[in-house]
Amino acid sequence: MATPQQNTRIALSDRLEGLRVATTPTQANRPSDPVPASIFASTLVDNITNVALAQDYESLIPSPDELIIRQRGKRRPLTDWTPEQAASINYTRHPFQRTPTKMPLNTNMILRSSPRKRLSMGSTPPEPMLASLNSPHKVSAKQQLWPGSPIVKKIRLGDEQKPMAQTSDEIPLAKVLQGLSQQQLIDLIMDKMANDTKAEAELRSHLPIPDIEKLEQELLHAKRMIFKSLPTSRLCKKTDSTAFARASLHLMEFKRLLTNHTKQLNDSGHYDALLDYVFMAWQYVRATPNWDNITHNNVRKQCFKVLTCSCMAAIKSGGLRLGTNRIQTLEKNLHDWSQDYEDVMSCVNTINKTLSKGRTSL
């Protein structure tokens, strides 16, 4: 009868024999051949041990990728990149990066911007002459540093302090005068006509009558803005207090333009143009809305008053120099204008005095 120690040794030897058969590759039991199920069907411990040993055995055989990595050489340690390190560490070329090959010295290729090409083509600028550099005169075409370049006109000494209208001959004179103000033009003409009565008389004989067309366009625009501000609905009335509140601002602008125009013509002494402006502007003032409330028509009456005063000033200052046609036309219009503003009939007495006495002015 066997002892317990002998039974233990027999069991261990049987287990080791099973492991030796399962893990040792022989000619009869290759990895490609199927493994008998009786070897791994003994116990759970035997299966776990066999799987662990099989994984260790397969890890001993390197994979094809591992063989390629080993052939490359020793791996470089990875370093953590930071912006501070990049600023302090110089750039190093990658070990597997190819360096660009240099151009052989015996090649016939010449770079496009190389000095050798400029020397071969003969386009180098000639050495400037000392006399041409020191002299302030123009550089001729033969003495240019770069042949074919445009010649730049040099500015004379002191020309940079003069206005461009005096130094540039390319801009027409009529175009230059458009940029000057009215006072600048007056000063320019008066400086040229100083102490020259003959030239002043000749210029006065060619002075035209002021053009009031521009003044009429401004007045027409102001009148359009008045009617544009009125309500467009058929349910709203266009002459009530609500409509006046919307158009009051444009009415004041219309009155301002009318006052400035008459003052400009009266101060300049163009009484004939002032009377022509009165003929034109009276129709625009009459075309403004006539409001239901009497107090809202004060702006309209003030415009008629400005035109009446301007007409009176033109008759008194102009007299017969206004022309017979203008005076007769004014007499015909006064009766029609009296329906809009009764005080305009005061101009009739002034006209009668002028025609009876034959005065040029009252």
Side-chain angles (χ1 to χ4, degrees), residues 241-256:
S241 300
T242 305
F244 173 78
R246 299 179 61 176
S248 59
L249 182 63
H250 302 287
L251 287 171
M252 297 303 296
E253 178 64 18
F254 182 86
K255 175 187 172 183
R256 186 190 67 83

Side-chain angles (χ1 to χ4, degrees), residues 5 23 87 340:
Q5 295 181 354
T23 57
D340 301 324

Side-chain angles (χ1 to χ4, degrees), residues 244-310:
F244 173 78
R246 299 179 61 176
S248 59
L249 182 63
H250 302 287
L251 287 171
M252 297 303 296
E253 178 64 18
F254 182 86
K255 175 187 172 183
R256 186 190 67 83
L257 288 174
L258 187 73
T259 305
N260 292 342
H261 293 167
T262 54
K263 185 176 184 301
Q264 177 184 351
L265 296 174
N266 188 24
D267 294 345
S268 60
H270 296 284
Y271 302 109
D272 49 356
L274 178 60
L275 195 58
D276 293 342
Y277 182 84
V278 171
F279 293 152
M280 178 269 299
W282 196 280
Q283 304 300 326
Y284 285 98
V285 178
R286 177 184 288 179
T288 56
N290 194 0
W291 309 102
D292 297 340
N293 193 347
I294 300 176
T295 58
H296 293 165
N297 292 321
N298 290 335
V299 178
R300 179 186 173 94
K301 291 181 180 180
Q302 290 173 1
C303 292
F304 283 132
K305 184 177 180 180
V306 169
L307 294 178
T308 302
C309 295
S310 299

Side-chain angles (χ1 to χ4, degrees), residues 180-244:
L180 302 180
S181 63
Q182 185 177 3
Q183 188 62 35
Q184 287 179 323
L185 293 174
I186 293 174
D187 296 339
L188 178 62
I189 295 174
M190 294 307 298
D191 291 341
K192 293 297 181 182
M193 300 299 173
N195 301 326
D196 192 353
T197 56
K198 187 176 181 180
E200 181 179 354
E202 183 179 359
L203 179 62
R204 186 183 293 272
S205 61
H206 293 85
L207 289 176
I209 186 173
D211 188 10
I212 62 174
E213 184 179 357
K214 184 178 179 181
L215 306 181
E216 184 180 0
Q217 293 297 328
E218 294 179 358
L219 206 62
L220 177 61
H221 177 71
K223 191 195 78 169
R224 287 177 178 175
M225 293 303 296
I226 293 174
F227 286 95
K228 192 175 181 180
S229 63
L230 298 178
T232 57
S233 177
R234 296 181 180 179
L235 303 177
C236 299
K237 195 174 182 180
K238 296 183 179 181
T239 57
D240 56 358
S241 300
T242 305
F244 173 78

